[in-house]
Amino acid sequence: MSQPHSTDSHSRDPARPRIRPGGFRELGPVGWAVNRVGARVTGSRDVHLFATLGRVRRLFPAWLAYSGMMMPFGVLDRRTTELVILRVAHLRGSAYERAHHERIGARVGLDDDEIIRTLRDPADAGWSDRLRAVLTAVDELVRTKDVADDTWAEVATHLTEAELVGLVQLVAQYDGLATSLRALRIQPDLPR
């Protein structure tokens, strides 16, 4: 019978990455190039998420393509997409996701008030009927991994069938990404 792994102080330290972000040798030319472009676009020295996930060279390009189809090329409009991601990041306590998407949200036209309101319960945050329904569905998906029938019926009055599928996939993608960020202890990116 195998013994449980011992837990030293480093594995319990949320301020230490469990996997060191890779450089050219670990990432290969594609991962390294994506990381460099990402760093330039975000104004950071390195995109720790890319430099960590990029260590799995076979998986990274497929993950990146899928992620890109969620954001920025998803079926929901860019503003709604960013509000959904910000809400997921808040619910999951993902400071990394939150920081990136506060900046991205501002670039696609979200104002400070809208970004801050993603921290509040959608029922009390003063959203339009459409956004309240969408963000309520986000809360249920993150908390229960399902959407109640009445919530689904409400959000379905505002979204097409393709948008409904896209919403579920977007939430699942960013919920899963929050899990990866947390489990791998990926650290915030440092500005240039």
Side-chain angles (χ1 to χ4, degrees):
M1 180 176 217
S2 66
Q3 296 295 318
H5 295 292
S6 66
T7 306
D8 64 20
S9 62
H10 291 274
S11 64
R12 289 187 310 242
D13 184 356
R16 282 181 67 100
R18 287 183 165 160
I19 306 293
R20 184 181 55 77
F24 185 84
R25 177 182 293 151
E26 296 84 14
L27 302 176
V30 171
W32 184 82
V34 167
N35 186 32
R36 297 303 353 122
V37 169
R40 186 175 302 123
V41 168
T42 61
S44 58
R45 293 182 200 167
D46 188 50
V47 179
H48 291 154
L49 174 65
F50 293 171
T52 303
L53 299 184
R55 285 175 158 271
V56 186
R57 292 184 191 188
R58 287 181 22 178
L59 176 62
F60 184 64
W63 173 84
L64 192 63
Y66 179 73
S67 294
M69 294 311 293
M70 295 290 117
M71 188 290 298
F73 305 113
V75 296
L76 296 173
D77 67 273
R78 290 291 293 120
R79 289 172 47 80
T80 301
T81 295
E82 289 306 323
L83 292 169
V84 166
I85 294 168
L86 286 166
R87 187 67 185 160
V88 171
H90 167 66
L91 293 170
R92 288 300 312 276
S94 181
Y96 189 103
E97 262 180 351
R98 184 90 192 166
H100 270 275
H101 287 278
E102 285 178 356
R103 289 190 301 272
I104 294 169
R107 281 195 297 240
V108 300
L110 296 180
D111 62 37
D112 291 343
D113 177 63
E114 290 171 310
I115 291 170
I116 291 167
R117 282 192 287 151
T118 62
L119 300 172
R120 295 176 36 206
D121 183 323
D124 304 326
W127 297 113
S128 67
D129 290 345
R130 178 183 178 276
L131 287 174
R132 185 178 59 253
V134 166
L135 295 173
T136 298
V138 170
D139 281 24
E140 291 180 16
L141 280 164
V142 170
R143 291 183 175 133
T144 70
K145 307 304 181 226
D146 198 1
V147 179
D149 289 341
D150 59 334
T151 304
W152 186 266
E154 174 63 23
V155 77
T157 67
H158 301 285
L159 301 181
T160 67
E161 288 182 346
E163 289 171 329
L164 289 165
V165 173
L167 172 63
V168 171
Q169 291 296 291
L170 179 66
V171 173
Q173 162 67 7
Y174 279 88
D175 191 25
L177 185 56
T179 299
S180 296
L181 288 160
R182 180 183 209 117
L184 296 170
R185 308 292 191 262
I186 296 176
Q187 300 302 298
D189 299 336
L190 300 173
R192 264 189 242 173

